[in-house]
Amino acid sequence: MAKENKLQVLTALDAAKTQLYHFTAIIIAGMGFFTDAYDLFSISIVTKLLGRLYYYDPGYPKPGTLPPNVAAAVNGVALCGTLAGQLFFGWLGDKMGRKKVYGLTLVLMVVCSLASGLSFGKETKGIMATLCFFRFWLGFGIGGDYPLSATIMSEYANKRTRGAFIAAVFAMQGFGILAGGIVGIIVSAIFDHAYNRPAYDVDPAGSTAPQADYIWRIILMFGAFPAALTYYWRMRMPETARYTALVAKNAQQAASDMSRVLQVEIEAEEEKVEKIAAEPANNFGLFSREFVRRHGLHLLGTTTTWFLLDIAFYSQNLFQKDVFSAIGWLPPAQTMSATYEVFRIARAQTIIALCSTVPGYWFSVAFIDSMGRFAIQLMGFFFMTVFMFALAIPYHHWTLKANRIGFLVMYSFTFFFSNFGPNATTFVVPAEIFPARLRSTCHGISAAAGKAGAIVGAFGFLYAAEPTDPTKTDKGYPPGIGVKNSLLVLGGVCFLGLLFTFLVPEAKGKSLEEMSRENEDDDTNAGAEASNRTVPV
């Protein structure tokens, strides 16, 4: 946008000092992501318990486990819903406005999170069907939160600290993952103390207390409460000025809203808004040649990097318990009672979250506006690749009892550099580089590509990580390629992510209009295009 054409309200937002409303917006948007992460990752804490409760086989030497198709559905159905929600609500956010849709996603998340702990009937099929049904719609609401929260925060923020603000919203995921582990520890410890049962190999039938059925329900339902507390404040947030002025073309409302938020007098420039709206460069659609010419490579970069990142990220998070069991950090299932197994899994995931996941998110927040998005993403993919191969190549070495702590340290570093790396930047960048009228849609498309990768990771790793020896696989599972080869594949995936990072432009220190090149004439486009494709190395 040429400087003389830029609206005063947008200039005021770009130059605004960090104020209370910035932090308020981070908390309001971030609590949605707290719930997102809590709901998506807490399922991994209770899947083994579900197998013990509903798929117990009296003649089998190991505790019951979810059959492959049920495990795939329980772990993956929310991801399928998230993908659909990202595309739908991303598009709707550009059509109806960010604020109008924002409350709907939160209501859907709260209701379906509570309903996930309920059951229709007492039969196993009915319970699993209910769980999967509500987790799909929970995912649908979670999906809407991705493009809307990122777009709202990017359009509220000043250009100097915009990256940190968007990353801070996303960093609330870390606290959601941590909270899931802590709630799992507390609930399972209470039930284990109240209904102390013997290990499975001592008393198979008695190792699972009937009251353990409440554990998974309480853990899954708890995620609704933090999000519900922020509903009132979400509804009070004004529509973003960039949507109101550039998409809805209501200069008066944009100036009025931001005058109240920024507590400064802002002129309503209706003639300038009309002039901007008439510019040909401000009217091309998503499926146009002009969009492909200006932003085609950018969209390819944001979708591929997010897709590849989430294959690795969700494989690691959803199946930590399987990796921990494979290296012997978690005792064999038959040596524990059902409630104690939940406690050990929750404790292991909490330690990983506390030592690597949460710090990684906040390192991104601290450094994203000084190092830049490109450098952090490239560094993250590089170190994820290095640590994956370092775990996989000498895998037998790490399974020896004396080396298990070393394995956990290395494994933690893969989480740290995914979060101080592409897991944060793939969320931030799509909210900065596309035009206002397509911003939410393009972020939704990028995020949906990520969730497609998560589905590949969730379903693929479920089978791939099974041992190559048919006698050692879980009941109902075919032989896989083993944890070692799975880690090698994930290392290759991370390396591909590193290569595709070179398609993503650097947005550090630039306004949204500079990055999206909105309202420029063709003479300006050539120079800007070259500038936006130049990536600092």
Side-chain angles (χ1 to χ4, degrees):
M1 184 183 292
K3 197 153 190 175
E4 63 272 14
N5 284 342
K6 188 157 183 178
L7 294 172
Q8 188 185 40
V9 66
L10 304 188
T11 304
L13 280 167
D14 283 339
K17 293 180 180 179
T18 300
Q19 300 176 34
L20 179 62
Y21 85 89
H22 286 121
F23 296 106
T24 304
I26 288 171
I27 302 254
I28 293 169
M31 287 314 295
F33 273 91
F34 178 97
T35 300
D36 296 351
Y38 182 96
D39 288 327
L40 285 178
F41 294 115
S42 61
I43 193 68
S44 64
I45 295 172
V46 300
T47 47
K48 285 187 179 282
L49 176 62
L50 291 172
R52 285 188 184 241
L53 285 167
Y54 303 116
Y55 294 92
Y56 166 62
D57 183 349
Y60 197 65
K62 293 182 180 180
T65 57
L66 296 177
N69 60 328
V70 177
V74 168
N75 280 298
V77 71
L79 300 176
C80 296
T82 303
L83 188 155
Q86 286 163 335
L87 292 173
F88 177 72
F89 286 112
W91 168 79
L92 205 62
D94 283 333
K95 293 297 177 186
M96 293 179 59
R98 291 59 159 131
K99 180 189 173 180
K100 287 181 181 177
V101 188
Y102 208 30
L104 178 60
T105 61
L106 195 71
V107 169
L108 200 54
M109 286 160 56
V110 170
V111 170
C112 293
S113 186
L114 291 171
S116 293
L118 306 177
S119 305
F120 295 148
K122 296 182 179 179
E123 296 296 318
T124 296
K125 284 186 178 179
I127 293 168
M128 291 298 118
T130 304
L131 177 61
C132 290
F133 175 81
F134 284 114
R135 281 190 65 78
F136 175 86
W137 289 108
L138 169 65
F140 193 69
I142 287 172
D145 230 45
Y146 275 73
L148 294 171
S149 289
T151 301
I152 286 171
M153 199 65 242
S154 73
E155 293 181 346
Y156 264 117
N158 60 58
K159 67 180 181 180
R160 187 174 56 85
T161 57
R162 185 180 63 239
F165 290 157
I166 304 172
V169 170
F170 195 60
M172 294 298 287
Q173 271 200 342
F175 290 125
I177 295 170
L178 182 63
I182 292 171
V183 172
I185 288 171
I186 293 170
V187 173
S188 60
I190 291 170
F191 276 81
D192 193 50
H193 179 74
Y195 308 102
N196 192 19
R197 292 302 175 104
Y200 184 88
D201 54 9
V202 174
D203 181 1
S207 66
T208 305
Q211 294 84 356
D213 187 59
Y214 292 108
I215 293 176
W216 69 268
R217 299 175 190 275
I218 293 169
I219 291 173
L220 294 185
M221 294 171 80
F222 180 83
F225 295 103
L229 295 175
T230 64
Y231 179 78
Y232 171 75
W233 287 278
R234 274 201 184 194
M235 292 298 91
R236 290 196 63 189
M237 288 178 74
E239 181 58 85
T240 70
R242 284 182 162 92
Y243 181 87
T244 306
L246 298 176
V247 184
K249 301 177 179 59
N250 188 338
Q252 186 68 45
Q253 188 65 51
S256 171
D257 287 343
M258 290 306 106
S259 293
R260 192 168 66 252
V261 168
L262 297 174
Q263 297 180 336
V264 295
E265 228 15 78
I266 297 175
E267 182 185 349
E269 302 168 293
E270 294 183 16
E271 289 183 11
K272 197 176 279 189
V273 167
E274 289 172 11
K275 183 181 177 183
I276 290 170
E279 292 280 352
N282 210 23
N283 289 295
F284 61 83
L286 180 65
F287 300 105
S288 65
R289 276 189 189 176
E290 187 63 16
F291 178 86
V292 173
R293 185 177 75 83
R294 290 178 175 230
H295 300 292
L297 282 177
H298 299 163
L299 188 59
L300 178 63
T302 58
T303 52
T304 51
T305 52
W306 208 337
F307 173 79
L308 294 164
L309 176 274
D310 271 7
I311 291 176
F313 185 73
Y314 279 83
S315 295
Q316 288 175 283
N317 269 292
L318 289 175
F319 301 103
Q320 283 181 58
K321 60 190 182 302
D322 302 301
V323 175
F324 296 153
S325 296
I327 66 158
W329 196 41
L330 288 178
Q334 59 270 28
T335 65
M336 298 183 282
S337 67
T339 50
Y340 187 63
E341 185 178 34
V342 174
F343 174 83
R344 288 297 298 265
I345 292 169
R347 189 180 71 172
Q349 295 195 185
T350 302
I351 291 170
I352 292 290
L354 195 59
C355 296
S356 60
T357 304
V358 173
Y361 278 114
W362 290 97
F363 265 70
S364 286
V365 174
F367 292 105
I368 195 167
D369 286 313
S370 54
M371 290 177 63
R373 291 78 164 137
F374 175 81
I376 288 178
Q377 183 161 311
L378 198 69
M379 175 193 69
F381 270 129
F382 173 78
F383 281 112
M384 286 176 72
T385 305
V386 168
F387 286 114
M388 289 287 192
F389 286 139
L391 288 171
I393 294 169
Y395 180 71
H396 176 71
H397 167 81
W398 297 117
T399 61
L400 301 176
K401 190 170 184 178
N403 302 320
R404 287 173 187 169
I405 297 300
F407 180 95
L408 289 172
V409 171
M410 299 279 279
Y411 193 60
S412 295
F413 272 122
T414 66
F415 282 99
F416 177 81
F417 282 107
S418 65
N419 293 309
F420 182 30
N423 194 40
T425 55
T426 52
F427 177 80
V428 172
V429 173
E432 300 181 301
I433 63 176
F434 299 107
R437 67 190 180 282
L438 300 172
R439 186 168 291 133
S440 179
T441 301
C442 290
H443 195 286
I445 292 170
S446 302
K451 280 302 167 286
I455 292 166
V456 170
F459 289 103
F461 199 86
L462 183 70
Y463 292 92
E466 286 294 316
T468 53
D469 184 349
T471 63
K472 295 181 180 179
T473 61
D474 286 330
K475 187 177 181 181
Y477 286 81
I481 61 175
V483 172
K484 174 179 178 174
N485 291 323
S486 297
L487 290 170
L488 283 171
V489 170
L490 294 180
V493 166
C494 293
F495 181 71
L496 285 175
L498 183 151
L499 296 180
F500 278 102
T501 294
F502 287 93
L503 295 176
V504 179
E506 178 58 75
K508 181 180 77 170
K510 296 180 179 178
S511 73
L512 297 179
E513 288 68 42
E514 285 178 90
M515 287 309 302
S516 64
R517 309 203 305 280
E518 288 175 272
N519 314 307
E520 292 176 345
D521 56 35
D522 286 336
D523 293 334
T524 313
N525 283 345
E529 190 160 349
S531 169
N532 278 352
R533 285 187 184 171
T534 302
V535 179
V537 180

